[in-house]
């Protein structure tokens, strides 16, 4: 079961590109979500700017610095040039752009509880699946989710659907939270019949990254669970390698098992690897349950 997280606290390197209204919500909105005002320089189109480290990017007044630590840079080059990336890029596309419908697609508004989300480049079925995934979340988790959810190509952030390659999702999370620039992005093929992974799993996994970032769950647990996190990541088959992947997987497993398919994830060894450990071991279930309880 491969989910997919193509980003590490970030998104893949890409052109300026890839679920919704593009305006900041009114003051009458009941949500406690922390939203930024839409940037005023909306029509500026700038290709990615690269920096050697995040500090340099942030001091350059970049609105969204993305640290990359995976092989995503190599995805844009011939296979023989694939390599692991350790770099930072600046992203300037956001939900207040004058041409957001061109770069991100048309937006549709989706309200879940007290939260308002903008869903870009989607059809009715895709929005229904997104709703199903989000409405099972407790309020504290829902507040942490990006207000922007996009349908597009997780490999490069484009709104154009990829033709081949792995089907999954990703998330852009700026080094300093900046909601207008951040998003979850899901490959449109994830919603097609016949896919081995339910799209709600992919959505919940990406949700898990934002929840972990909001509350610092993985970081707070390393002192007591480092060995378990390391063992889990040794068998994890996603592209990113951060400890936040453990929490993202745990959140996905918890809510998908509870609300959509109770028999899929057990706390005993299963077919995650033949004869290998569970995708959702008891210690990870305990972590997620304890965190939910602490925020209720």
């Amino acid at each position: 079961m491969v989910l997919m997280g193509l980003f590490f606290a970030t998104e893949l390197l890409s052109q300026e590109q890839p679920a919704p209204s593009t305006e900041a919500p009114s003051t009458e909105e009941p949500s406690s979500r922390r939203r930024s005002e839409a940037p005023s320089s909306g029509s500026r189109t700038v290709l990615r700017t690269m920096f050697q480290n995040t500090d340099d990017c942030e001091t350059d007044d970049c609105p969204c610095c993305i640290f990359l630590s995976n092989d995503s840079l190599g995805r844009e080059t011939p296979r023989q040039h694939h390599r692991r990336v350790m770099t930072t890029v600046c992203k300037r596309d956001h939900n207040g752009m004058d041409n957001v419908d061109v770069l991100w697609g048309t937006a549709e508004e989706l309200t879940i509880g007290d939260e308002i989300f903008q869903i870009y480049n989607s059809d009715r079925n895709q929005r229904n699946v997104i709703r199903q995934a989000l409405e099972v979340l407790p309020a504290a988790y829902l507040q942490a989710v990006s207000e922007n959810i996009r349908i597009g190509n997780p490999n490069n952030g484009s709104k154009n659907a990829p033709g081949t390659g792995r089907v999954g999702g990703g998330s852009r999370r700026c080094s300093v939270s900046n909601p207008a620039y951040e998003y979850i992005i899901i490959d449109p093929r994830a919603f097609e019949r016949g896919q081995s992974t339910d799209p709600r799993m992919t959505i919940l996994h990406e949700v898990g990254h934002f929840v972990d970032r909001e509350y610092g769950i993985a970081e707070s647990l390393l002192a007591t669970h480092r060995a378990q996190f390391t063992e889990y990541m040794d068998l994890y088959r996603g592209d990113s390698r951060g400890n936040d992947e453990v929490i993202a997987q745990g959140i996905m497993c918890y809510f998908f098992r509870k609300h959509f398919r109770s028999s899929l994830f057990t706390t005993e060894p299963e077919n995650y690897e033949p004869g290998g450990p569970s995708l959702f071991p008891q210690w990870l279930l305990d972590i997620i349950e304890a965190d939910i309880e602490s925020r209720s």
Side-chain angles (χ1 to χ4, degrees):
M1 184 75 59
V2 178
L3 283 182
M4 38 198 180
L6 300 183
F7 301 25
F8 171 44
T10 64
E11 70 159 359
L12 297 179
L13 279 174
S14 68
Q15 60 187 359
E16 281 303 312
Q17 68 273 342
S21 160
T22 61
E23 298 298 325
S26 74
T27 56
E28 297 176 358
E29 179 192 349
S31 172
S32 59
R33 177 188 298 279
R34 300 190 306 273
R35 295 178 182 266
S36 63
E37 292 299 319
S40 57
S41 56
S43 61
R44 183 183 181 191
T45 300
V46 181
L47 295 180
R48 67 174 186 246
T49 304
M50 300 183 66
F51 298 86
Q52 289 196 352
N53 57 64
T54 303
D55 287 343
D56 289 346
C57 179
E58 291 175 355
T59 57
D60 196 56
D61 294 327
C62 173
C64 183
C65 294
I66 303 295
F67 173 70
L68 299 173
S69 178
N70 52 32
D71 65 354
S72 58
L73 183 60
R75 293 176 183 277
E76 299 181 359
T77 62
R79 180 171 296 276
Q80 62 268 28
H81 295 141
H82 281 198
R83 60 196 183 279
R84 186 159 292 278
V85 174
M86 296 289 287
T87 190
T88 298
V89 295
C90 176
K91 293 295 182 177
R92 299 187 183 276
D93 53 323
H94 52 79
N95 64 17
M97 296 180 293
D98 293 340
N99 59 345
V100 67
D101 57 335
V102 174
L103 295 181
W104 287 12
T106 302
E108 295 288 342
E109 190 171 277
L110 181 64
T111 301
I112 308 291
D114 289 338
E115 305 299 328
I116 297 176
F117 300 91
Q118 308 298 334
I119 317 299
Y120 294 82
N121 199 36
S122 66
D123 60 30
R124 184 186 300 272
N125 174 68
Q126 292 163 344
R127 292 192 296 276
N128 184 53
V129 172
I130 293 169
R131 173 182 290 279
Q132 291 175 21
L134 296 183
E135 65 187 4
V136 302
L137 300 173
Y141 280 19
L142 196 61
Q143 291 168 10
V145 180
S146 172
E147 63 194 71
N148 302 311
I149 301 177
R150 302 177 51 202
I151 307 301
N153 187 343
N155 289 316
N156 63 16
S158 169
K159 73 172 184 179
N160 299 319
T164 59
R166 179 179 295 183
V167 177
S171 56
R172 174 193 286 182
R173 304 184 303 284
C174 306
S175 60
V176 176
S177 179
N178 194 343
Y181 292 79
E182 298 179 329
Y183 55 70
I184 287 172
I185 185 168
I186 306 297
D187 189 319
R189 294 174 297 163
F191 299 88
E192 296 175 358
R193 291 183 179 275
Q195 292 294 334
S196 60
T197 299
D198 190 302
R200 294 169 297 192
M201 294 168 63
T202 305
I203 295 164
L204 287 169
H205 176 92
E206 301 307 333
V207 161
H209 282 299
F210 278 93
V211 173
D212 178 75
R213 195 272 297 275
E214 179 76 5
Y215 300 116
I217 303 172
E219 184 178 1
S220 70
L221 293 167
L222 288 179
T224 54
H225 291 79
R226 186 179 298 274
Q228 291 165 315
F229 274 47
T230 299
E231 181 180 9
Y232 193 97
M233 289 306 298
D234 283 344
L235 294 172
Y236 180 67
R237 293 177 289 178
D239 291 336
S240 299
R241 310 308 304 168
N243 288 307
D244 58 314
E245 292 294 340
V246 179
I247 300 303
Q249 286 287 81
I251 287 173
M252 178 275 291
C253 291
Y254 177 85
F255 288 105
F256 192 83
R257 184 178 76 167
K258 180 176 181 179
H259 296 280
F260 302 116
R261 197 178 307 174
S262 61
S263 62
L264 184 58
F265 302 118
T266 71
T267 56
E268 300 300 322
E270 57 174 54
N271 293 326
Y272 176 39
E273 291 283 344
S278 168
L279 183 65
F280 195 34
Q282 183 66 48
W283 61 265
L284 185 52
L285 169 61
D286 293 342
I287 284 173
I288 302 303
E289 286 185 331
D291 190 78
I292 293 171
E293 176 65 24
S294 73
R295 306 186 198 288
S296 61

